[in-house]
Amino acid sequence: MAHQYTRLFNTNDLQQLYAALETAEYGAYFTTPTRDVRRFGIDATAIATTAAALSGPVIFGAQAFDHQLYPASQLMRGFWFVPKVVVTITGETITFVSDEVSDFDAWLARFQPVSGQVVDDMAITDETDWVDRTANLIDTLAIDQHLDKVVFGRQQQHQLSDHLYLAQLIGALGEQDNTYHVVLKRQAELFISATPERLVKLSAGKLATAAVAGTSRRGRKKAEDEALEVALLASEKNRVEHQYVVDSLAERLQHVTSELHIPTTPQLLKNKQVQHLYTPITGQLVDNMSLTAVVTSLHPTPALGGVPREAALAYIAAHEKRPRGLFAGPVGYFTADNSGEFVVGIRSMYVNQLTHQATLFAGAGIVSDSDAQQEYDETGLKFEPMRQLLKDYNHVE
């Protein structure tokens, strides 16, 4: 890009950037679990429904989970854009990059923080037959020798009283620990995620991904939390579900890496509401392989689709009540020098700012010995980060 400017980060910058996102027709916010890097893409010089249709120094966006068209939405069918302004906050420095904006401090000064009013969660609509449909899936898995696992999705609609302001929304996201925080905006539509799951990161040819599958709730006290931790690590059902993901990632990465490092035993990844079995995987990418090609190869993992992949995807398309849109799809950014990072759009919510409706998403890995009620309870846990976000929204200072 033609213009680049770096200076010390100051406390007013974030609120002004949130205000810039609020004003922009298109935008993205992406931060890592450690909060050591925050990235903003603000406004657009070009937009598309596929990443392949664009070229530019940095591209933000998300791919829909599958081919089904999410109703009455442009964002949820896949959205990519080349930002007019890219802002990266790293440690104590802030860097602005743009082809169109040359005086970044003057540009930033145009945006003044705004505060929204209290937003009430007025009504909730759920899939009341989800347990019965999941029981049918378990019966199918018990007799179908060509289907081992299906990640079965559930959606929940929340009717809100008003528009959500991005400054308060991102502030409320800050309550979700040890997760990526992602916001994607296309006009009056938002996709928000507090996902624990990286799909792939690439920097200087070094690849990093992770298997995240097998879930338990957190305990209210330390002793209970530790007991649940031990039970999760010992759970055969969860270990089998986790190994499906590890094996699948290993198989798909063999063809795109020259080195691959996979621990033999999972560890735990703890978030505010739940904990997961977690296996970090690293490798060296082969020459002439793009990050977007790796994303295509990995998506969807068995943690989001199932095993075998095509049979599970067909079951999802036929039996889930509504298309997933960006839920469980790859969300992130990539650069012209083939670096970037994509996460999996889970623990997520879609907001239509015109209708004031928020749709929350969750899914559970179903195998032949699953219990439908327990899986329903697990999806309830997975709704909790976004339900908590809506509660915390009104208490951001």
Side-chain angles (χ1 to χ4, degrees):
M1 286 185 170
H3 309 289
Q4 180 170 328
Y5 171 57
T6 300
R7 62 163 169 78
L8 288 176
F9 170 72
N10 69 59
T11 54
N12 295 327
D13 289 334
L14 269 181
Q15 292 302 316
Q16 289 179 286
L17 286 167
Y18 297 155
L21 272 181
E22 189 71 50
T23 304
E25 193 171 14
Y26 310 105
Y29 171 77
F30 185 101
T31 186
T32 57
T34 55
R35 312 291 174 257
D36 55 338
V37 180
R38 299 172 188 254
R39 302 180 190 275
F40 294 80
I42 298 173
D43 269 326
T45 60
I47 66 171
T49 57
T50 63
L54 296 175
S55 62
V58 183
I59 295 171
F60 285 87
Q63 174 185 323
F65 176 79
D66 60 15
H67 65 278
Q68 297 183 87
L69 295 180
Y70 195 93
S73 171
Q74 295 297 315
L75 173 64
M76 294 290 276
R77 298 181 181 190
F79 172 59
W80 303 86
F81 73 103
V82 180
K84 184 180 292 185
V85 179
V86 177
V87 182
T88 306
I89 301 170
T90 307
E92 297 181 353
T93 64
I94 182 168
T95 299
F96 303 80
V97 182
S98 177
D99 279 332
E100 300 191 15
V101 175
S102 57
D103 188 336
F104 291 104
D105 283 330
W107 172 82
L108 193 60
R110 292 165 41 198
F111 306 105
Q112 296 305 314
V114 293
S115 58
Q117 56 200 39
V118 170
V119 173
D120 295 321
D121 195 345
M122 299 171 64
I124 300 173
T125 304
D126 210 334
E127 298 182 17
T128 55
D129 63 345
W130 194 87
V131 171
D132 291 338
R133 291 187 294 117
T134 302
N136 291 337
L137 169 56
I138 293 168
D139 291 342
T140 298
L141 290 164
I143 61 175
D144 190 338
Q145 297 182 351
H146 304 291
L147 192 60
D148 297 320
K149 172 188 173 181
V150 174
V151 180
F152 206 41
R154 177 182 162 202
Q155 299 184 27
Q156 190 178 79
Q157 283 74 39
H158 291 240
Q159 185 59 51
L160 307 179
S161 62
D162 207 345
H163 175 103
L164 295 175
Y165 282 86
L166 284 167
Q168 285 179 241
L169 196 64
I170 295 172
L173 268 175
E175 297 298 314
Q176 297 297 324
D177 298 330
N178 206 25
T179 61
Y180 291 86
H181 295 167
V182 182
V183 178
L184 197 60
K185 177 184 181 182
R186 190 189 194 283
Q187 298 171 325
E189 299 180 81
L190 302 175
F191 183 76
I192 303 107
S193 174
T195 177
E197 188 167 350
R198 170 194 284 164
L199 182 62
V200 61
K201 179 181 180 180
L202 186 63
S203 179
K206 296 187 182 301
L207 176 149
T209 183
V212 181
T215 304
S216 171
R217 67 179 177 87
R218 297 294 305 273
R220 292 180 176 84
K221 296 183 179 179
K222 183 178 179 181
E224 182 189 18
D225 200 50
E226 290 175 348
L228 290 167
E229 173 185 319
V230 170
L232 177 58
L233 288 167
S235 166
E236 182 178 357
K237 183 261 183 188
N238 282 293
R239 291 292 286 263
V240 168
E241 182 182 343
H242 185 78
Q243 197 61 41
Y244 276 141
V245 181
V246 173
D247 293 345
S248 174
L249 289 172
E251 180 182 356
R252 297 179 201 179
L253 289 171
Q254 281 180 353
H255 307 293
V256 299
T257 55
S258 56
E259 300 174 15
L260 196 58
H261 305 285
I262 305 175
T264 56
T265 305
Q267 58 196 62
L268 287 173
L269 177 64
K270 291 177 177 280
N271 306 132
K272 188 172 183 178
Q273 293 87 6
V274 294
Q275 51 192 332
H276 306 276
L277 296 178
Y278 170 78
T279 298
I281 299 171
T282 58
Q284 182 68 38
L285 195 68
V286 298
D287 294 339
N288 303 316
M289 177 64 67
S290 71
L291 175 56
T292 52
V294 177
V295 169
T296 300
S297 175
L298 294 180
H299 173 74
T301 74
L304 290 313
V307 181
R309 181 197 285 193
E310 295 307 321
L313 291 178
Y315 193 95
I316 288 167
H319 296 281
E320 287 190 2
K321 281 202 162 180
R322 302 174 187 87
R324 294 185 176 188
L326 301 185
F327 166 57
V331 187
Y333 71 95
F334 64 98
T335 67
D337 66 357
N338 203 31
S339 65
E341 187 165 15
F342 283 86
V343 298
V344 179
I346 57 174
R347 312 296 184 273
S348 54
M349 172 172 71
Y350 165 67
V351 178
N352 185 316
Q353 298 275 51
L354 297 180
T355 63
H356 303 155
Q357 186 175 81
T359 300
L360 280 58
F361 303 91
I366 310 301
V367 293
S368 60
D369 61 348
S370 293
D371 177 277
Q373 184 60 51
Q374 289 180 5
E375 302 296 348
Y376 180 83
D377 295 341
E378 180 177 313
T379 56
L381 284 172
K382 292 174 177 177
F383 280 141
E384 196 56 33
M386 291 297 107
R387 285 196 291 228
Q388 189 63 46
L389 177 68
L390 292 174
K391 295 174 186 175
D392 291 338
Y393 176 87
N394 291 322
H395 304 288
V396 173
E397 296 182 355

